[in-house]
Amino acid sequence: MKKVITVETICPSKLTPEARKNLSEILFKVHKRIFKGLNEKEFDHYVVNSPAKVTKIFIYKDKSKEEIIGYFAVHRFEKRVNDKPLVIFRAEAGLVPEYRHKNADIYFWFKEAMKFKIFHPNKEIFYLVCPVNPSVYARFAKYIYKVYPKYDCITPPHIENLMMKLADEFGLKIVDPNKPFVRKVGWITQATEEEKLFWQNCNNPHIRFYIDSNPDFNKGNGVLTFMPLTFLDLLLSLFSFFMYYTLKRKIRYNLHRLFAYLKKKKMK
């Protein structure tokens, strides 16, 4: 698996109309290698010329810094629901198959949400996504402290009610009245055979929950996923993410030392 080396940040609102048009065309070419089900006009509306109050696009490039291999667009919306002002973060992201399964997507939207919360501590902030493949949902469920829905917890009625209203507000239509969290997105991941086999045989409870809830995800359906972003939620999520990668690095380091020792021992 290759590694994403460089990331460029672009704010579409600061570009000229011509530059935004060029950016949209370039990113759509990459998008077609990752997803199906969306035309160029729809892509431009979702990603580059979003109606959000603020949009930032992180562009992933390979080692040569010449080829774009993915993008992550973070949008900040300001909505009023039940006569309460809310800040809603949304996002679209994609990496070409050989670069997938990185956690850069979690890091970038998390950083934007954390910065906004620090400067606006009294605002209610939420993150609403509708992942169209099991691996994306599983990463959120694994690292983010509070995620709804989730296999091991019940979604509180007031949270579910808010999710339904926001989904309708953003035009995410219900696929099956008996499954209110499953919504039509239209983006279809161009999964590799390796990914399909992994999802089919995986015992990860988050992936199994996603597939059981949304078996037709290969038709462009997603699972509505909602994350409250209080200071406590953000800090606990950051701690979880940090601890996982710190331990992972230590295990890799110790294994490397062990293998080096065994190899040296064998050569004697």
Side-chain angles (χ1 to χ4, degrees):
M1 188 180 297
K2 298 183 180 180
K3 186 177 180 181
V4 175
I5 298 297
T6 61
V7 180
E8 179 184 359
T9 305
I10 292 179
C11 296
S13 62
K14 296 180 180 180
L15 301 178
T16 65
E18 185 64 26
R20 281 201 303 274
K21 183 174 181 293
N22 291 337
L23 174 65
S24 186
E25 289 173 354
I26 290 169
L27 291 182
F28 185 65
K29 289 178 182 177
V30 180
H31 172 86
K32 289 190 295 183
R33 297 169 58 191
I34 305 166
F35 298 103
K36 297 184 293 184
L38 208 66
N39 63 39
E40 191 168 356
K41 185 178 179 181
E42 291 169 327
F43 173 83
D44 179 75
H45 175 75
Y46 273 113
V47 178
V48 179
N49 285 298
S50 167
K53 191 172 183 65
V54 176
T55 291
K56 282 188 180 180
I57 302 176
F58 303 91
I59 298 176
Y60 303 116
K61 297 182 180 180
D62 67 2
K63 291 180 181 180
S64 68
K65 299 185 181 181
E66 295 175 358
E67 182 191 8
I68 296 175
I69 47 80
Y71 62 88
F72 187 90
V74 181
H75 312 286
R76 193 184 83 227
F77 293 86
E78 294 188 5
K79 298 287 184 181
R80 199 166 193 88
V81 179
N82 296 333
D83 207 31
K84 290 177 63 177
L86 305 176
V87 174
I88 310 297
F89 279 90
R90 302 211 61 212
E92 303 88 29
L95 285 169
V96 295
E98 58 268 34
Y99 290 83
R100 283 180 192 155
H101 308 298
K102 301 294 178 183
N103 293 299
D105 51 356
I106 289 180
Y107 168 74
F108 284 124
W109 79 259
F110 189 88
K111 183 180 73 170
E112 291 302 308
M114 180 68 88
K115 281 196 304 186
F116 187 82
K117 186 64 178 177
I118 288 171
F119 288 107
H120 304 85
N122 296 322
K123 290 198 173 186
E124 283 195 80
I125 305 174
F126 302 94
Y127 187 42
L128 179 75
V129 289
C130 203
V132 292
N133 80 57
S135 295
V136 173
Y137 168 82
R139 283 200 292 276
F140 288 123
K142 179 177 182 178
Y143 296 115
I144 304 305
Y145 174 66
K146 203 173 284 184
V147 174
Y148 303 106
K150 200 173 178 182
Y151 81 95
D152 58 353
C153 73
I154 296 172
T155 304
H158 72 283
I159 292 289
E160 183 171 344
N161 182 54
L162 179 56
M163 290 174 69
M164 299 302 109
K165 288 184 176 180
L166 287 172
D168 293 341
E169 179 80 19
F170 285 107
L172 296 168
K173 295 180 180 178
I174 288 180
V175 176
D176 180 348
N178 296 317
K179 294 182 176 181
F181 292 114
V182 178
R183 300 286 172 140
K184 175 58 70 175
V185 179
W187 299 42
I188 303 171
T189 303
Q190 299 197 63
T192 63
E193 290 305 316
E194 182 183 1
E195 286 174 316
K196 292 175 184 176
L197 191 62
F198 171 75
W199 293 334
Q200 183 180 346
N201 298 308
C202 185
N203 291 321
N204 181 308
H206 302 305
I207 288 180
R208 292 261 56 88
F209 172 78
Y210 180 97
I211 294 173
D212 291 343
S213 302
N214 182 29
D216 291 331
F217 65 89
N218 60 349
K219 296 179 181 177
N221 300 335
V223 173
L224 200 63
T225 306
F226 187 73
M227 290 152 267
L229 301 178
T230 65
F231 270 123
L232 180 61
D233 296 326
L234 288 165
L235 289 173
L236 289 172
S237 300
L238 182 64
F239 178 76
S240 172
F241 194 76
F242 174 77
M243 286 301 295
Y244 175 79
Y245 276 95
T246 300
L247 291 172
K248 193 175 179 181
R249 281 198 299 270
K250 284 184 177 180
I251 290 170
R252 280 202 304 263
Y253 173 73
N254 288 329
L255 284 174
H256 178 74
R257 290 188 63 188
L258 176 62
F259 289 144
Y261 171 77
L262 292 174
K263 185 177 179 180
K264 188 177 179 180
K265 191 106 170 163
K266 189 176 180 182
M267 292 173 65
K268 288 183 178 180

